[in-house]
Amino acid sequence: MVEILKLIPATAWSAIVTAILTSSVAFIGISYTNKQNLKRMKLQHEHEIKIRDHEVIRERAEELFVGIKSFGRNMITTHMPYHSAMIGKITFNQALDMTIESGKTLDYDVSRIHMLADVYFPKIAKELDELIKFNGTIYSLQNKFKEKYKRGITKDEVAAKEFLEQNDKLIAKVRNLESNVAAECRNL
């Protein structure tokens, strides 16, 4: 076997060794390049995921803002006919009819607003819950007047004043919530 190896000229050995060394260097270079490319691609992928996640959160914040604006506007305007009923400008039934009519053109989904707030913006969710709870106090005033109205008392200036004061507080709470949602959008 050694005899056969001695028959191979030195130039051939030189070519074989050179080929092995060149192949090894090329293999090491390609492996290094592939490793660096993989590292760069992972970083790029992670960056793209962060950008996509940020865009999703921003879109949800904007959607929540638009929903809160519509919800707040409707919440405020729905109560106004009842004030007019309390001061005797319209009947309670007319106020109910106005409420029903305004409910036909709602451009928001309350459950979607709650989901967006609960899932993406817990601080906003808490404030939204407080606003809805406060809105319940205004409904309570409406119901008290409704009971009086059923008994024949069609005008109540004291109830109207309290109702208007509470509605003004509701307006302030709605504006504050809108402002906080807008701040969340800006901070993203």
Side-chain angles (χ1 to χ4, degrees):
M1 175 92 169
V2 176
E3 302 277 327
I4 296 174
L5 293 176
K6 287 184 182 178
L7 293 175
I8 300 173
T11 55
W13 279 115
S14 174
I16 291 172
V17 170
T18 302
I20 291 172
L21 286 175
T22 305
S23 297
S24 298
V25 170
F27 178 75
I28 291 170
I30 290 169
S31 295
Y32 177 77
T33 301
N34 286 344
K35 186 177 180 181
Q36 294 306 312
N37 284 342
L38 181 63
K39 188 188 278 184
R40 183 186 53 78
M41 287 176 66
K42 282 182 179 178
L43 287 173
Q44 182 179 356
H45 181 68
E46 289 170 3
H47 179 69
E48 288 172 359
I49 288 173
K50 283 180 185 177
I51 288 173
R52 184 186 48 111
D53 288 350
H54 184 267
E55 287 173 4
V56 166
I57 297 292
R58 183 164 190 81
E59 287 171 5
R60 298 301 184 263
E62 291 169 356
E63 181 182 355
L64 180 62
F65 179 77
V66 170
I68 291 284
K69 285 288 262 188
S70 296
F71 180 58
R73 179 184 62 240
N74 184 64
M75 191 182 292
I76 293 165
T77 58
T78 298
H79 295 306
M80 293 318 295
Y82 297 98
H83 179 261
S84 296
M86 289 176 187
I87 60 175
K89 284 188 175 179
I90 62 174
T91 67
F92 196 83
N93 286 339
Q94 288 172 317
L96 284 173
D97 290 342
M98 293 168 90
T99 300
I100 291 167
E101 194 60 36
S102 71
K104 292 179 181 176
T105 59
L106 297 180
D107 58 348
Y108 60 88
D109 179 357
V110 176
S111 59
R112 177 110 178 123
I113 291 170
H114 279 284
M115 184 278 301
L116 290 170
D118 290 341
V119 171
Y120 296 100
F121 308 100
K123 287 191 310 187
I124 298 298
K126 183 178 181 217
E127 192 173 350
L128 177 61
D129 289 342
E130 290 170 3
L131 174 68
I132 291 170
K133 183 178 178 184
F134 185 80
N135 191 44
T137 63
I138 295 175
Y139 277 120
S140 179
L141 294 173
Q142 282 175 210
N143 287 332
K144 285 179 186 175
F145 178 70
K146 178 182 174 183
E147 294 304 316
K148 289 179 183 179
Y149 196 86
K150 285 180 182 178
R151 292 191 313 260
I153 302 170
T154 58
K155 190 175 178 181
D156 188 342
E157 294 288 335
V158 174
K161 183 179 180 208
E162 182 182 1
F163 184 83
L164 201 54
E165 289 170 358
Q166 294 302 313
N167 204 53
D168 287 343
K169 289 178 184 177
L170 177 69
I171 291 169
K173 288 179 180 293
V174 167
R175 298 295 175 249
N176 189 52
L177 178 59
E178 291 171 350
S179 177
N180 290 343
V181 174
E184 287 285 335
C185 288
R186 281 189 299 273
N187 291 335
L188 292 175

